[in-house]
Structure formats: C-alpha cells, structure tokens
C-alpha cells in the first residue's frame, strides 16, 4: 500500500498521507515516499500548487512512536522531520486541508504549508508536553510565525487543543469550512497560483518568506525591486496587461 497518494488535476497536485490504520502517523517509510513525490512534482512543469491532506479519519496523528523512541540523537531525529521539512522547503505553493486530527509531528505537516484550511472536524494539538518530549522540527518557531506568543504557549506549554472553528478564529487556519467542502475550497485556492506563471509564484513565495527577516521599509523595497523588474520583462506580464487593457476598453 502506498503511504502517500498523489493526483494531479488542472495544475494542482493533491498529496494524501495514506496510512489510515494508524491515523496517518508519520513514519520513515512515509517520509521516503513523500520525498519522492515532491521530487516528481517539482520537476513537473504542469504542476503549479499542492494540496496536502490525509486519508480519513485523520490528517496525521503524529510520529510513529516506535521510531520516535529509537531516535535518540540529532541525526535520527532529522529523519523523522524529513517529511514535513520536505513540504516546508518546496518552492511550490502549498495548502494544508486539515480534515481531522493534526497532532505533534502531524501538526508540523500543517504548519509546513503556506496556508492552512481547517474542516469543522479538524483538531490541532501540539501534544509534545503530554508525552514528555520537547517539541522538534521547528514546531514552536512555525507556530509563533503563524500565531502569537500566547497561542504558542497555550498549545505547547499548557496542552490546549483547537478545533477547526477556533483555529480559524485565532489565525492558525486561514478559514474553517464544512468538512464536505474542504477539498473543494483547498483546490479553489490552489488553482489561482497553479494558473499563474510558475517561476513567478515561486519567486513570490520566496519573497514572502524572506520578509520575515526584513526590519524596515527601505530594505523591503530593495528586496522586492529585482524580482519585480524580472517579472515585468517576462512575456506573461505583457500578455496579461494587454488582455486587461482590452477587457477594460470593451467594458467602457
């Protein structure tokens, strides 16, 4: 059985964590399959965005506990992190469609994506404290980048869990939608970058990431000017501006 499924439609790849018997727990084998899938997607010029989800009933219930117990050094821990870090580091735009429990290392898969959509039955739980292990894989950093200090403290240190509506209320998720509409909404969002010039969306994603380290307006302007000039020299820019001008002239 494939532990990672992948389907491509209209430029959007749907990548599904697929080990429902263990609620899609993160394993070394799953990470290996995920790495191979993203290698293929990044090499496929027809793919412009990725939706990440899990086979019901969960999104991902955390790390394989036997493998976690055996991972007692940085090298072996990095192998457990490899799957969600592969998602985090892809240049392709990514949407997490969280359709159930996202726990511990499984929550890291959601945090690794550019946008999180939550179903009504989504559940986000850090859970590292509950099994007496320190968070890893950049969990606290990613959580604080998306939310705020208090949310990170409540989830990591006080063990609070969030359902889909509450996750959207505090900004952990972009929005919460009905479970039966979750994938449709994820694909609706993903089709926008998928239909745009691929190198442009990759450059824009990297710029947003880089802005996390920019401290003032002048530096922000300087960071954007080179890729903006590059984009204006591409044929797609001239084509789309011409089409917009034509549409405006017809409507006036």
């Amino acid at each position: 059985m494939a532990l990672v499924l992948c389907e491509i439609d209209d430029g959007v790849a749907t990548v599904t964590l697929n080990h429902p018997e263990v609620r899609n727990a993160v394993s070394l084998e799953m990470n290996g399959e995920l790495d191979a899938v993203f290698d293929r997607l990044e090499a496929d010029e027809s793919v412009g965005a990725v939706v990440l989800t899990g086979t019901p009933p969960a999104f991902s219930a955390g790390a394989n506990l036997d493998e976690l117990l055996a991972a007692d050094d940085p090298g072996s821990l990095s192998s457990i992190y490899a799957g969600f870090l592969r998602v985090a580091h892809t240049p392709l735009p990514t949407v997490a469609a969280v359709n159930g429990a996202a726990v511990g290392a499984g929550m890291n898969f959601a945090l690794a994506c550019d946008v999180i959509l939550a179903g009504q039955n989504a559940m986000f739980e850090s859970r590292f404290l509950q099994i007496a292990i320190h968070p890893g894989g950049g969990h606290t950093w990613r959580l604080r980048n998306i939310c705020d200090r208090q949310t990170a403290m409540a989830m990591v240190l006080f063990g609070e869990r969030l359902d889909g509506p509450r996750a959207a209320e505090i900004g952990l998720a972009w929005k919460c939608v009905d479970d039966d509409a979750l994938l449709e909404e994820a694909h609706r969002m993903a089709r926008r970058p998928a239909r745009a010039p691929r190198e442009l969306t990759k450059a824009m994603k990297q710029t947003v990431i880089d802005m996390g380290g920019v401290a003032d307006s002048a530096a922000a302007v300087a960071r954007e000017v080179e890729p903006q000039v590059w984009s204006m020299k591409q044929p797609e820019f001239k084509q789309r501006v011409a089409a917009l001008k034509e549409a405006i002239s017809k409507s006036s």
Side-chain angles (χ1 to χ4, degrees), residues 81 84 104-105 108 128 133-140:
Y81 306 155
F84 55 77
N108 280 351
F128 291 97
I133 183 175
H134 192 281
H139 181 85
T140 55

Side-chain angles (χ1 to χ4, degrees), residues 113-248:
C113 292
D114 300 320
V115 171
I116 297 173
L117 295 182
Q120 291 286 340
N121 285 326
M123 190 275 288
F124 300 86
E125 184 177 7
S126 181
R127 200 178 286 183
F128 291 97
L129 180 68
Q130 287 84 326
I131 62 170
I133 183 175
H134 192 281
H139 181 85
T140 55
W141 177 75
R142 295 182 201 285
L143 185 55
R144 282 210 61 183
N145 275 350
I146 295 173
C147 300
D148 57 19
R149 179 180 181 273
Q150 180 168 253
T151 298
M153 289 293 189
M155 296 190 72
V156 173
L157 196 58
F158 293 89
E160 290 290 300
R161 64 173 66 178
L162 307 178
D163 60 15
R166 178 61 174 156
E169 181 183 348
I170 66 170
L172 176 59
W174 172 244
K175 63 172 66 173
C176 179
V177 299
D178 290 340
D179 294 308
D180 58 4
L182 179 62
L183 280 178
E184 180 183 352
E185 178 64 12
H187 283 92
R188 183 193 67 80
M189 290 187 66
R191 279 193 293 270
R192 291 173 178 164
R195 292 172 178 172
R198 194 172 194 247
E199 292 306 310
L200 176 61
T201 61
K202 290 163 64 176
M204 292 171 72
K205 174 173 175 172
Q206 189 58 53
T207 296
V208 174
I209 292 170
D210 291 349
M211 285 300 177
V214 172
D216 58 69
S217 175
V221 173
R223 174 60 183 81
E224 290 180 343
V225 67
E226 183 176 342
Q228 187 175 51
V229 169
W230 165 83
S231 70
M232 294 172 69
K233 294 179 179 179
Q234 305 308 304
E236 292 89 350
F237 171 68
K238 296 179 175 61
Q239 292 165 6
R240 295 192 182 202
V241 169
L244 178 60
K245 289 174 66 177
E246 182 178 359
I248 292 172

Side-chain angles (χ1 to χ4, degrees), residues 8-32:
I8 299 171
D9 180 55
D10 199 16
V12 177
T14 302
V15 176
T16 305
L17 307 178
N18 184 49
H19 200 174
E21 294 83 358
V22 292
R23 299 171 65 81
N24 307 321
V26 182
S27 66
L28 301 180
E29 184 179 1
M30 177 183 283
N31 287 345

